[in-house]
Amino acid sequence: MKLKKVLALVLVFVLAMSLVACGGEDKPTDTDKTGEGKTDEKKVLTFGGPLDGVGNLDIHLTTINEIFQITTHIQEGLLGLDTDTLEVHPVLLTKMPEVSEDGLTYSCELKPDVKFHDGTTLTSNDVKFTFERIFKPETKNVNTWLCDMVLGAKDMLDGKAEELEGFKIIDDTHFEITLEEPYSAFMSVLAAAQMVIYPEKACTEAGESWGTSSFIGTGPYKVKDFDPKNKVVLEKFDEYHDGAKKLDEIVFLNMDPNTALLEFENGTIDVTALDVSLVDNYLENDKFKDNVKKCESLGIVTFGLNMGMKPLDDVKVREAVSLAIDRKGLTENYLRGKAVPATCFIPKGIPGYDESAPEFEYNPEKAKQLLAEAGYPDGIELEATISEKSTLAPVLEVVQQQLKESNIDLSIQKVDHAGYIDVRSRGEVQIPLINWYADIIDADNFFYSILYGDNSKFFSTNYFNEEFDAMCDEARKTVDPDEKAEIYKKIEHKVTREDFILVPLYNPVFYYLVSDRVENAVMMQTSLFRFIDADIVK
């Protein structure tokens, strides 16, 4: 009860301060103003938000969403995701790849006469070049885990091969991709933001300047101005293979969140993110309530419990941690109902999500009983480590208070980001707080990526569970969607309700503001803004 009263007082203070920040009735709020760089002749959409992590647009070198949401307007993959349904569909291909009976070989046909921004034509050579660039050690690609099931990928990564064995060119528009073993999520892999196709000639000639002074693709927009400390400007590509789009320019302005909100109110930007703590203020303001948009992301915030470190090597202790967390209280009180209490590790919308899964039990007394049975009648001490860059420290502090009711004393250690990644990858973080979003629309992207084999060491759970690994292997090879979903439901139950290696907390919900003069500017459930089909209507 004391915790809830403190949180209530904090929220009252936050609301009062945010009303001042939002300006109430006295600040200019003309969202129809033309704004900087906007003229009657051009249709220009302006986004405001931090671009601090945008130093290079080469997606082989990054895992940062702020970069992906720029590059997805510039470059395209063989396949893509529907904005609304997230269904995989052909983009640079004439149709979906044909898959051999053994599930290993994908036969693809490129659309004819697709142009890169420099006027050159897309061919199978560009696709081969891109796939091989992904796996060349000198590229230092941080996303190879996404597609290393292609035959020969591991040999290239180990420096044992210069060419990719699993890629065969038939002619300029036909090629085959062969996998080491069947992988039912490979179509989703080909639609991922990290799998866009680079032009061989331009990328090779650019060398180290690729991603900064030189960066082109086949997408509907091309780079006009790249100065991420200030802004990144994209302009319409008139020769786009799917027809020129409606916007003439998309401008990404670098500004902190508070400045972005003020600029939105002043009508000088069209789109910006909205922190959950401020959502109600805008919803209660008649001038802005219709500008608030909502996106239920395909993401999860979860505890990992490192079973390689005492006392978490005991399943009773891990279960006690799960029982000691009030997920509903966390989301309703601290997050003001702007998140969904997790019932699964897989987010809703990912095949394999268990609709029938009950809420995770909150029971401090039962937690204390389990700790006593495990030999800790006086409670335990645990340590969570978090990157200084993480925005989730306040969430950890709320959970820290909740755990005390079950005699669990949680300390929180903040370290620099590089140091955090280093210690976590060595498997030495006792409780990692994992914030994970779907790279591909498949449960494999969650379970395999975080818990399978040595991946479990990288994310500091040290699970190393042969039964779990075998279940993942089976799911990866299963083509029938219903059979595959059932396997993942069993995996879900094992991980979160039997072994308690993961303690899911909540599914984030994102909010953002879109001006009245813009339509079809959306955030996808992948948590990326998408302005490709946007238009200026006022």
Side-chain angles (χ1 to χ4, degrees), residues 249-278:
E249 291 184 358
I250 302 173
V251 180
F252 296 87
L253 289 177
N254 186 23
M255 55 182 64
D256 66 78
N258 289 333
T259 301
L261 291 177
L262 291 174
E263 293 298 325
F264 181 87
E265 292 182 16
N266 289 332
T268 53
I269 66 173
D270 298 303
V271 184
T272 191
L274 180 60
D275 189 86
V276 293
S277 65
L278 301 175

Side-chain angles (χ1 to χ4, degrees), residues 15 18-19 24-25 278-290 292 336 338:
L15 286 172
S18 59
L19 281 172
E25 297 295 324
L278 301 175
V279 171
D280 287 343
N281 302 298
Y282 281 89
L283 289 174
E284 293 165 4
N285 188 317
D286 288 340
K287 292 186 178 180
F288 296 114
K289 63 182 182 181
D290 293 333
V292 178
R336 299 179 57 79
K338 304 302 186 295

Side-chain angles (χ1 to χ4, degrees), residues 324-394:
I325 297 175
D326 181 5
R327 296 161 177 83
K328 186 171 290 186
L330 172 65
T331 55
E332 290 183 357
N333 296 327
Y334 177 72
L335 296 171
R336 299 179 57 79
K338 304 302 186 295
V340 180
T343 57
C344 294
F345 175 58
I346 306 176
K348 185 177 183 179
I350 298 289
Y353 170 79
D354 190 352
E355 293 276 0
S356 65
E359 294 180 358
F360 287 107
E361 184 180 1
Y362 171 54
N363 192 329
E365 292 304 315
K366 186 176 178 181
K368 287 189 283 188
Q369 178 184 336
L370 284 173
L371 290 178
E373 292 174 6
Y376 303 99
D378 298 323
I380 57 173
E381 295 181 357
L382 299 174
E383 181 180 82
T385 305
I386 191 170
S387 166
E388 288 181 338
K389 286 188 175 182
S390 175
T391 60
L392 295 176

Side-chain angles (χ1 to χ4, degrees), residues 462-524:
N462 290 306
Y463 192 30
F464 301 117
N465 187 293
E466 292 183 359
E467 181 185 355
F468 166 84
D469 287 356
M471 293 169 75
C472 278
D473 288 337
E474 182 185 3
R476 286 166 72 87
K477 298 174 183 178
T478 302
V479 175
D480 183 273
D482 293 331
E483 291 180 15
K484 184 176 177 178
E486 288 304 312
I487 296 172
Y488 277 122
K489 288 178 183 178
K490 293 177 182 177
I491 292 176
E492 172 75 48
H493 193 273
K494 176 176 177 57
V495 166
T496 63
R497 299 175 189 269
E498 291 180 14
D499 295 343
F500 298 95
I501 201 68
L502 294 175
V503 179
L505 301 179
Y506 63 89
N507 303 109
V509 177
F510 293 114
Y511 291 83
Y512 56 104
L513 296 168
V514 178
S515 70
D516 295 331
R517 63 187 228 107
V518 174
E519 67 178 13
N520 294 329
V522 301
M523 177 184 279
M524 297 176 63

Side-chain angles (χ1 to χ4, degrees), residues 97-117:
E98 295 181 3
V99 186
S100 60
E101 288 188 12
D102 60 8
L104 293 176
T105 301
Y106 291 68
S107 299
C108 306
E109 180 183 12
L110 290 172
K111 288 181 179 179
D113 300 321
V114 172
K115 300 294 184 185
F116 286 106
H117 299 151

Side-chain angles (χ1 to χ4, degrees), residues 189-346:
V189 168
L190 295 178
Q194 299 94 320
M195 297 299 293
V196 295
I197 303 303
Y198 284 175
E200 179 179 14
K201 183 175 183 293
C203 183
T204 302
E205 291 178 353
E208 292 184 359
S209 67
W210 181 253
T212 54
S213 60
S214 177
F215 196 67
I216 66 174
T218 60
Y221 294 91
K222 56 185 180 179
V223 179
K224 178 180 180 182
D225 185 6
F226 183 68
D227 179 19
K229 290 185 178 179
N230 298 297
K231 63 181 178 181
V232 176
V233 182
L234 310 182
E235 64 179 347
K236 177 167 59 177
F237 180 40
D238 290 326
E239 295 182 72
Y240 180 54
H241 62 90
D242 199 31
K245 296 300 181 179
K246 296 176 181 178
L247 293 177
D248 293 295
E249 291 184 358
I250 302 173
V251 180
F252 296 87
L253 289 177
N254 186 23
M255 55 182 64
D256 66 78
N258 289 333
T259 301
L261 291 177
L262 291 174
E263 293 298 325
F264 181 87
E265 292 182 16
N266 289 332
T268 53
I269 66 173
D270 298 303
V271 184
T272 191
L274 180 60
D275 189 86
V276 293
S277 65
L278 301 175
V279 171
D280 287 343
N281 302 298
Y282 281 89
L283 289 174
E284 293 165 4
N285 188 317
D286 288 340
K287 292 186 178 180
F288 296 114
K289 63 182 182 181
D290 293 333
N291 301 114
V292 178
K293 310 299 178 184
K294 175 182 177 182
C295 173
E296 294 188 1
S297 71
L298 295 177
I300 185 73
V301 176
T302 183
F303 270 173
L305 301 182
N306 192 336
M307 63 183 294
M309 300 177 72
K310 288 184 176 294
L312 296 176
D313 57 333
D314 191 319
V315 67
K316 288 186 177 181
V317 173
R318 299 197 300 273
E319 183 178 1
V321 174
S322 181
L323 287 166
I325 297 175
D326 181 5
R327 296 161 177 83
K328 186 171 290 186
L330 172 65
T331 55
E332 290 183 357
N333 296 327
Y334 177 72
L335 296 171
R336 299 179 57 79
K338 304 302 186 295
V340 180
T343 57
C344 294
F345 175 58
I346 306 176

